[in-house]
Amino acid sequence: MNNQEELNKLVGVHLGKAGDGTAVKPYITPDTVDKSLLVAIPRYLNRTSYDLKEDALPFVGIDAWNAYEFSTLTHNGFPISGWLKFTYHANSPNIVESKSVKLYLNSYNMARLIADQDSLWWIEDKIAYDLTEAVGTEVTVSLGIGDVETVRPFTGDFTSLESYCDVSKISFDQFNESADILKKIATPIQRFRWRSYSLRSNCRVTNQPDWGDVYVHIKGAYTVTPESLLQYIVSMRKENHFHEEIAECIYKRLWDMLQPQELMVGCLYTRRGGIDINPIRVSNSTLYNFTPIIDSYNLCTKTARQ
């Protein structure tokens, strides 16, 4: 069984056939919590394509999820609605498929599990336990109810590639990913911080478009030209990958080409079905200081597109 066939088998339980774009039968949300709805996808199904070895990854990282439509009931039927965030490390054996997360969280909608809002910790612990079982590593969960304070997802200034480059003078004619698009240049050792709102890739399950913003931090004796980096981000436009896979692909190409002292790639995807996924990959954990988004208790401001 090849990687795509294995993926088809995993998601076909209640999500439809991967990548065929056909409609999926309506799913009736249960009135009780059902953790069997969660579909775990092994990370190696994509990593082998980029020669990423599970025991020698060139990065550490966090996947940060926001679910903006979480709701449940108290014992007396009063609805509690809020914003749920969870995070887990990139060294987990599995990711969890986003539509299956939505179905799972929806199974809380009519469940009467807690006496009042003071018992929300029980819901957090329950979700953390079920997600941990699915992805194979510890998951941390927080619930925000009512007005919540937010922080910026990244600290420091990132220059917009679209504003910096004269896009009218650049040819954008490659819409499948290739490392050959990136142009390496030598530079005095310094930091380069770029962001782009031009990311589009496609879901491996539904073939529907996913939109995102990319943040890149590079420090080393080499970098890539901003024009080629923008062309490279645009080249994801016809790729079919999960969000986490796109972030790791961009990171691996830059890592292999530049061998930098520091590298960070973060992809902030826009929400679909009330959920957004934000994979962050860094060359060393000290770069987490620039990425508040990785903390499950930091609810972050959104980009304009989110």
Side-chain angles (χ1 to χ4, degrees):
M1 183 183 298
N2 63 33
N3 287 357
Q4 189 61 42
E5 290 171 339
E6 186 172 349
L7 177 63
N8 289 345
K9 181 178 179 181
L10 287 167
V11 302
V13 178
H14 52 257
L15 304 180
K17 183 180 178 182
D20 65 0
T22 58
V24 179
K25 292 189 298 182
Y27 183 83
I28 306 298
T29 302
D31 290 344
T32 56
V33 176
D34 184 0
K35 70 177 182 179
S36 71
L37 294 170
L38 293 170
V39 174
I41 308 290
R43 290 190 189 268
Y44 75 81
L45 291 179
N46 181 71
R47 285 177 171 172
T48 54
S49 301
Y50 303 108
D51 195 30
L52 286 168
K53 296 178 172 56
E54 299 290 313
D55 58 350
L57 294 172
F59 54 71
V60 292
I62 298 285
D63 295 334
W65 294 57
N66 294 293
Y68 301 98
E69 300 174 1
F70 181 79
S71 187
T72 191
L73 300 177
T74 60
H75 291 162
N76 69 345
F78 179 72
I80 294 177
S81 299
W83 177 357
L84 182 143
K85 181 175 181 179
F86 64 89
T87 62
Y88 55 90
H89 284 272
N91 63 359
S92 65
N94 305 317
I95 62 173
V96 63
E97 200 280 330
S98 61
K99 184 175 181 180
S100 78
V101 172
K102 181 173 179 62
L103 294 176
Y104 165 73
L105 294 180
N106 282 350
S107 74
Y108 283 82
N109 290 174
M110 301 305 296
R112 303 188 183 205
L113 300 173
I114 55 175
D116 51 41
Q117 190 165 309
D118 291 336
S119 302
L120 283 173
W121 62 268
W122 190 93
I123 299 287
E124 292 174 339
D125 286 354
K126 167 64 176 167
I127 294 172
Y129 181 87
D130 290 345
L131 288 171
T132 294
E133 190 173 60
V135 303
T137 196
E138 182 179 6
V139 178
T140 57
V141 176
S142 66
L143 269 167
I145 305 296
D147 294 330
V148 296
E149 294 186 3
T150 59
V151 300
R152 292 178 61 189
F154 297 100
T155 61
D157 294 325
F158 288 77
T159 301
S160 166
L161 286 167
E162 290 82 1
S163 297
Y164 184 87
C165 302
D166 186 348
V167 296
S168 67
K169 296 181 179 178
I170 304 173
S171 177
F172 296 94
D173 53 10
Q174 295 189 60
F175 300 110
N176 285 106
E177 186 274 337
S178 171
D180 293 338
I181 297 170
L182 294 166
K183 304 305 179 188
K184 177 180 176 180
I185 56 173
T187 180
I189 294 178
Q190 58 182 303
R191 292 187 177 93
F192 294 89
R193 288 177 175 170
W194 302 107
R195 62 182 173 88
S196 169
Y197 55 77
S198 298
L199 176 63
R200 188 199 102 148
S201 55
N202 301 287
C203 176
R204 287 186 73 180
V205 177
T206 65
N207 203 37
Q208 296 301 302
D210 293 318
W211 308 92
D213 299 305
V214 184
Y215 290 75
V216 178
H217 165 107
I218 302 170
K219 179 183 177 182
Y222 297 94
T223 188
V224 291
T225 65
E227 294 80 8
S228 72
L229 181 58
L230 184 56
Q231 288 175 307
Y232 179 74
I233 291 168
V234 170
S235 78
M236 294 292 179
R237 203 166 180 85
K238 294 180 72 174
E239 291 294 325
N240 287 77
H241 294 289
F242 294 122
H243 303 69
E244 301 90 339
E245 297 170 350
I246 293 292
E248 292 184 0
C249 175
I250 297 171
Y251 183 101
K252 184 62 161 54
R253 298 305 197 199
L254 292 171
W255 181 260
D256 287 349
M257 176 175 285
L258 306 176
Q259 290 296 297
Q261 294 178 7
E262 296 177 357
L263 180 62
M264 186 277 294
V265 173
C267 294
L268 307 190
Y269 272 91
T270 61
R271 68 184 75 173
R272 280 206 296 130
I275 293 174
D276 68 41
I277 307 171
N278 308 279
I280 312 297
R281 301 294 182 265
V282 297
S283 55
N284 63 79
S285 58
T286 61
L287 293 175
Y288 284 156
N289 295 330
F290 305 112
T291 58
I293 193 173
I294 66 159
D295 188 332
S296 61
Y297 295 96
N298 284 337
L299 300 179
C300 295
T301 56
K302 302 290 99 181
T303 66
R305 296 171 70 233
Q306 287 181 310

